[in-house]
Every structure is written in structure tokens, then in C-alpha cells.
Amino acid sequence: MSDPKPAPTYDLTTLAARAGEEARPNRAPALVEPIYQSTVYAFADLDDLDRAMSGAEPAAFYYRNGTPNAATLERALATLEGTEAALVAGSGMAAISAALLGVLKVGDHVITDARVYGVTYALLAEEFPRLGIEVSFVDACDLNEVEAAFRPTTRVVHVESLTNPLLTVPDVPALARLAHERGALLSVDNTFASPAMFRPAEHGADLVTHSVSKYLSGHSTAFGGVLCASAELVALARTRLLRLGGTISAFDAWMTMQGLKTLGLRMRAHSGNAQAIADVLVNHPRVKAVYHPGLSDHPQFHLAMDLFPQGFGGMLSADIEDAPRFVKALAGRIPLAPSLADVVTTLSWPWGTSHRPLPEGERRRLGITPNLLRLSIGIEDIGDLLGDFERALDE
């Protein structure tokens, strides 16, 4: 037997690059998944790499294609929305874009609610026509108007389960039936409701999207989007997303998973507080209108009660006399912040933020006025919140 070859001796520069990486000892499994920040992964041989690249086996190999943290979040969100699969993306708009572009081509037609989020409106009104995709804007709460908008080339109907910012409630089951009868898909942005309040796939939706930076993560610390759908539709969207480069970071996926663990608890608190605030604001003389599905004068009140038996989440909007004065009166207690769904209550100004991309005439036609404020009600003590709002209204 020949003597074993001596181990090579390396320079310090080589040791510094490699030390500790050559043998990772087995450790007790972590209770919380670690963050996998590596942008690339190593493979044992060419066959191992080929299996990963072919997609025959789930594998991480390059950051843009996904990370273990993203895969964990995808499994969790597919479970919560009750779909076969999910795809996480770098933003809610990236998720919506990938979902729609996965199923649309030049010459296709989309029907969408005119009340969708302002950037979604801009995507559909300005970007899709540049790609040869036609779009019709309708009142999605009027089924006759939706039906009349169908064409032989209609492939998708897109709505929000609770619209931003006026909280209208499209009839998702009826829209799903109508779309499927015409050979089209129903796409639902479920950001305002979250799966704790509503699961669109259970009511016939084919594509379900979220901005995960809202209720799913819940603390204004993570950014991303998700599509929940069948494995086939997710695969089509994933191809588009990889080519467009809309990858979620491992850290944002990890942070969203931490927030997701308390989703049910948070949504019950958000929902109860928002209902209580709506009930008080609707009777105040300085408040001209309150938009919340739990109010009996809401135009879709009975439908909302049927579709959302667990509550409506933490969102409401109010048309308030001298809104700038009201915002100033709340300064130091309720922040003015152009987002939503934090555990603390915030205000937003749709006229100048979320719906700024819409022409002024279209904003006014939809009921979005300079005095409209969107309230994202947090999980604070309801007595404290009511006191803050009542003092600001009475100043």
C-alpha cells in the first residue's frame, strides 16, 4: 500500500476564502429557518446540476431563480390561499404583471374594474396597450356592464376583493362563473382582505395576488408580492418573472414568514377596530361619508356579509371636512404614511398617492376627492384609537 498523499498546504489568502466552508457539521435544526443569502449554489457533478436546471427536482441554484426562503414562503402562501402553488416576487406589481403576462399575448383583451389600485390602473391603461393587449375598464360591481364588455378575445377579468380605497365588494363567485362561461380567467388582488378574511380561489378565482408588504408581513418591514394559483398558471408566471428579473430577496421572504405567523391574530384585531372606528365616524358631523363594508348603508353590504363572515380587515376610507386640518390634528399620534396594514394605525391620501396616476377627472368620477382619507386601522387599544380620532375631529 502506498503512503497517502500529504494534504496540500495553502497560503493564508486561500485559507481565508475557504476556511469553515469545507465541512459544515450537523447541528440541531433551527426553530426558525435561517436566511439563505447565497446568490449561487454548488453542485456535486454535471448530472446534479442538470437535474436542478431542468426543474425535475426542486433546487436552488441561482438567486434570481429562487432561494430556499422564497420556496418556504411560497409553500406557506399556497397553503393559506388554498391553491396548488404560489410564486413570490419582488413587489405586488411584479406579481400582478407576471400573473397576467403569463396568460396574455398580443391581441388579447382584459376586463378590469375601474376602481383598481392606481399603479395597477396605469399598468393596464398605459403599458398593456403598448404590448398589443387591449383593456376595458368597467364597474365590476355591475355584472351587466362586465358581461357587455366581453369580446371573443377576452382572456382575463381582473378585480380586487376589496377595492382600494373605497372598499367596494365585487361579486367574486358571480364574476368567476361569468368569466369561465366565456373561456376567461378571473384574477383577484386580495391584498386588502388577506386569506384570513377571504380566499378567492374557494370562490372560483384562478389567479390570486397580494402585495406581501401589507397584511401578510404586517409590520412595514418586508417588501414583495405573491401569485397563488394552479401549478400550471404559476409555472407560466414564473417563466415571465425570471425573464423580467422580479425576484424577491431572501431577507424579505424571511421577514414575511415571521409576520405571517401572527396573521390570524392580527387580522381579527384589525377588523374589530376598523368596524368600531367606522361606526363612530359615520355619525360625526365633520365626516361627510364613510366607506366600509360593515356599514349597513354600504352598497354591497349583504354581499359583503356573505363573502366575509370573519370581518373585513383594517381598511376604511372617509371623506372628512377640511382633511388637511384633521391630518395635522392627528400629528404625533397617527402618522400620515402612503402605505397600509402596519400594526399601528396610519392615514393615507389617495388623491395624491395611491391614485395619483389616474387623470383628475377619473379620480373624481370614482369618488376619490382631495378630502378623502384612507385609514389603515391598527391593533392598538380601541379606546385609545377612538380618543385620538374624536379629539382630532373636535379640534
Side-chain angles (χ1 to χ4, degrees):
M1 177 182 291
S2 60
D3 293 334
K5 294 181 180 179
T9 301
Y10 292 115
D11 182 81
L12 183 137
T13 55
T14 303
L15 293 175
R18 298 180 181 176
E21 296 292 339
E22 69 282 355
R24 296 182 178 90
N26 292 328
R27 296 184 175 93
L31 183 61
V32 175
E33 181 183 41
I35 300 171
Y36 293 88
Q37 191 56 45
S38 178
T39 61
V40 67
Y41 292 80
F43 295 86
D45 52 40
L46 294 181
D47 289 338
D48 191 24
L49 177 59
D50 187 57
R51 282 192 296 272
M53 294 297 293
S54 70
E57 299 175 5
F61 53 88
Y62 185 60
Y63 203 93
R64 177 166 49 81
N65 296 75
T67 63
N69 298 107
T72 297
L73 181 58
E74 287 174 351
R75 290 193 298 272
L77 292 174
T79 297
L80 292 180
E81 281 289 6
T83 59
E84 285 183 342
L87 167 66
V88 290
S91 68
M93 290 308 305
I96 290 174
S97 298
L100 297 180
L101 291 175
V103 297
L104 295 170
K105 64 183 185 305
V106 173
D108 284 345
H109 175 242
V110 176
I111 299 171
T112 186
D113 193 350
R115 299 184 184 92
V116 292
Y117 169 55
V119 182
T120 305
Y121 186 102
L123 172 72
L124 295 171
E126 299 175 20
E127 302 302 328
F128 273 29
R130 294 175 60 243
L131 302 177
I133 298 168
E134 298 179 304
V135 181
S136 295
F137 290 88
V138 301
D139 177 357
C141 292
D142 184 337
L143 293 176
N144 291 328
E145 187 173 334
V146 176
E147 186 170 17
F150 270 89
R151 305 175 186 175
T153 55
T154 303
R155 298 289 175 262
V156 176
V157 177
H158 178 75
V159 299
E160 295 170 356
S161 55
L162 295 169
T163 66
N164 178 3
L166 296 176
L167 283 296
T168 56
V169 184
D171 190 338
V172 169
L175 289 169
R177 289 191 295 271
L178 184 58
H180 296 161
E181 288 169 1
R182 301 299 187 93
L185 302 173
L186 178 64
S187 168
V188 178
D189 181 339
N190 199 35
T191 297
F192 266 30
S194 90
M197 301 287 106
F198 185 62
R199 287 154 56 107
E202 292 182 349
H203 299 275
D206 303 286
L207 302 163
V208 180
T209 51
H210 292 262
S211 170
V212 305
S213 52
K214 309 307 190 292
Y215 284 120
L216 297 179
S217 61
H219 298 77
S220 298
T221 54
F223 199 73
V226 66
L227 162 67
C228 299
S230 68
E232 178 184 6
L233 292 176
V234 164
L236 292 172
R238 193 181 298 278
T239 298
R240 302 300 180 274
L241 187 73
L242 294 181
R243 293 171 181 172
L244 294 171
T247 306
I248 192 172
S249 77
F251 183 68
D252 283 311
W254 183 87
M255 285 293 289
T256 301
M257 277 299 301
Q258 309 322 303
L260 203 61
K261 297 176 190 300
T262 60
L263 177 65
L265 296 173
R266 287 186 285 106
M267 291 307 292
R268 286 197 289 273
H270 284 299
S271 186
N273 281 356
Q275 184 69 58
I277 296 293
D279 289 338
V280 169
L281 292 184
V282 76
N283 293 312
H284 198 283
R286 284 190 59 199
V287 179
K288 304 307 179 185
V290 178
Y291 303 92
H292 185 269
L295 297 174
S296 59
D297 63 351
H298 187 281
Q300 293 91 40
F301 172 73
H302 295 292
L303 174 64
M305 295 297 289
D306 183 47
L307 294 181
F308 295 83
Q310 304 301 317
F312 309 102
M315 303 305 300
L316 62 101
S317 290
D319 193 322
I320 297 176
E321 179 185 289
D322 196 357
R325 175 185 169 190
F326 177 70
V327 171
K328 287 182 179 179
L330 283 172
R333 290 172 287 171
I334 307 294
L336 177 65
S339 191
L340 61 104
D342 201 307
V343 292
V344 298
T345 298
T346 60
L347 303 174
S348 186
W349 184 43
W351 177 268
T353 58
S354 63
H355 287 69
R356 196 181 193 101
L358 276 68
E360 179 177 338
E362 183 66 7
R363 278 177 278 174
R364 290 188 182 278
R365 187 185 74 80
L366 294 173
I368 300 169
T369 68
N371 277 326
L372 183 75
L373 296 176
R374 191 186 69 193
L375 283 59
S376 174
I377 305 301
I379 65 171
E380 303 99 324
D381 175 80
I382 188 57
D384 293 335
L385 284 175
L386 288 172
D388 287 339
F389 282 113
E390 288 169 347
R391 283 189 292 271
L393 286 167
D394 292 340
E395 282 188 13

